[in-house]
Amino acid sequence: MNSTKKVKVFASIVVLVAAVFAQTVHAVLAQEQVLIAVNGTLMRGLELEPNLVNLGATFVREDRTEPAYRLYSVNDIHPAMVRLPANATNGVPVAVEIWSVPADGVATLLSKEPPGLSIGKIKLQNGTTMLGVLAEPALVVGRKDISNFDGSWREYIAQTGIQLIDKAIQSSNMTSQQSDALKQLRTEGELLTKNGHLRGAIDSLNTAVKMLGLKDRLYLNIPLGYTAP
């Protein structure tokens, strides 16, 4: 083989190796995962959850932040967590879910978040710092502060559901059979809430809300028989 052919063969090998290397790097980056803490996605059909699932994200665990945040309801559509100043004394540990998100999908996730939400660094109750979904302070001006519901979006949904059902039962004309069925679902929801089984509680309360035909925003997007991943 003359020198010209050797150079061409060598060049072809270099190009091939570079292409394989580029594909390998892309595959590795695609497989890299980033842990992100979010609020309340498992219990209802929020915009955030299908975004996560469609990106190939997987649920890791439930956790809580350090007591340095406040939690708000944005028009009863989604929660918003705000970090307080360092000298604040009214912070609560907010309930969060940890999701493992493909690194190359983080930007896509952020672009699909509701306006006013962004990704920043948060601190968990064990002192670990990680990425999490935070609200801009302007987003929560005039919004309902739900921090006292144990810092939990699900707790807020459950407690509000009990109140909705009680009010509707008192003002509705129902047969005794319908009333008994609703009261049983309401009792189940309350007991499960008290025992910390919020997913089951919301399933029961959601069934009652749908039976009553209520259009409350907290329950509007939760389909019957919804099962969290």
Side-chain angles (χ1 to χ4, degrees):
M1 184 181 296
N2 59 40
S3 58
T4 301
K5 289 184 178 180
K6 287 182 179 179
V7 170
K8 288 182 178 179
V9 171
F10 180 74
S12 298
I13 293 174
V14 169
V15 171
L16 178 60
V17 170
V20 172
F21 178 75
Q23 291 178 353
T24 302
V25 170
H26 178 74
V28 170
L29 288 175
Q31 292 173 1
E32 286 185 354
Q33 300 286 309
V34 178
L35 293 180
I36 297 179
V38 299
N39 305 118
T41 65
L42 291 187
M43 273 322 312
R44 63 192 299 261
L46 291 170
E47 296 91 340
L48 182 60
E49 184 184 330
N51 287 346
L52 284 164
V53 174
N54 291 341
L55 287 172
T58 55
F59 174 69
V60 179
R61 69 179 189 278
E62 297 179 11
D63 211 320
R64 281 186 178 267
T65 68
E66 65 174 355
Y69 302 85
R70 299 293 291 180
L71 188 65
Y72 295 82
S73 171
V74 179
N75 297 328
D76 280 352
I77 299 174
H78 63 81
M81 182 174 71
V82 177
R83 183 191 295 110
L84 298 177
N87 60 350
T89 59
N90 63 332
V92 301
V94 174
V96 295
E97 298 160 6
I98 311 300
W99 285 73
S100 180
V101 183
D104 58 355
V106 173
T108 302
L109 170 63
L110 182 57
S111 69
K112 293 183 178 181
E113 278 287 80
L117 296 183
S118 60
I119 294 179
K121 287 186 177 180
I122 69 166
K123 186 174 287 188
L124 300 180
Q125 59 185 349
N126 64 1
T128 301
T129 298
M130 66 183 306
L131 294 179
V133 177
L134 291 167
E136 299 171 3
L139 177 64
V140 301
V141 174
R143 307 296 187 186
K144 187 187 298 184
D145 188 328
I146 60 172
S147 305
N148 292 334
F149 288 86
D150 194 32
S152 170
W153 175 246
R154 291 183 200 152
E155 179 79 25
Y156 172 64
I157 295 175
Q159 294 293 349
T160 302
I162 292 172
Q163 296 171 8
L164 283 170
I165 295 166
D166 286 344
K167 183 177 180 180
I169 288 177
Q170 293 172 3
S171 60
S172 299
N173 294 320
M174 296 177 293
T175 65
S176 58
Q177 186 175 4
Q178 291 173 326
S179 179
D180 289 344
L182 288 167
K183 289 178 179 177
Q184 181 177 350
L185 288 167
R186 188 255 187 228
T187 299
E188 288 177 1
E190 184 176 35
L191 288 173
L192 288 167
T193 299
K194 288 180 177 179
N195 289 321
H197 302 297
L198 293 174
R199 296 185 194 178
I202 293 176
D203 283 342
S204 295
L205 297 171
N206 183 40
T207 301
V209 168
K210 296 293 192 293
M211 287 175 63
L212 287 163
L214 301 177
K215 302 297 183 183
D216 188 84
R217 297 298 291 271
L218 280 167
Y219 285 84
L220 190 61
N221 292 331
I222 311 178
L224 289 174
Y226 179 69
T227 303

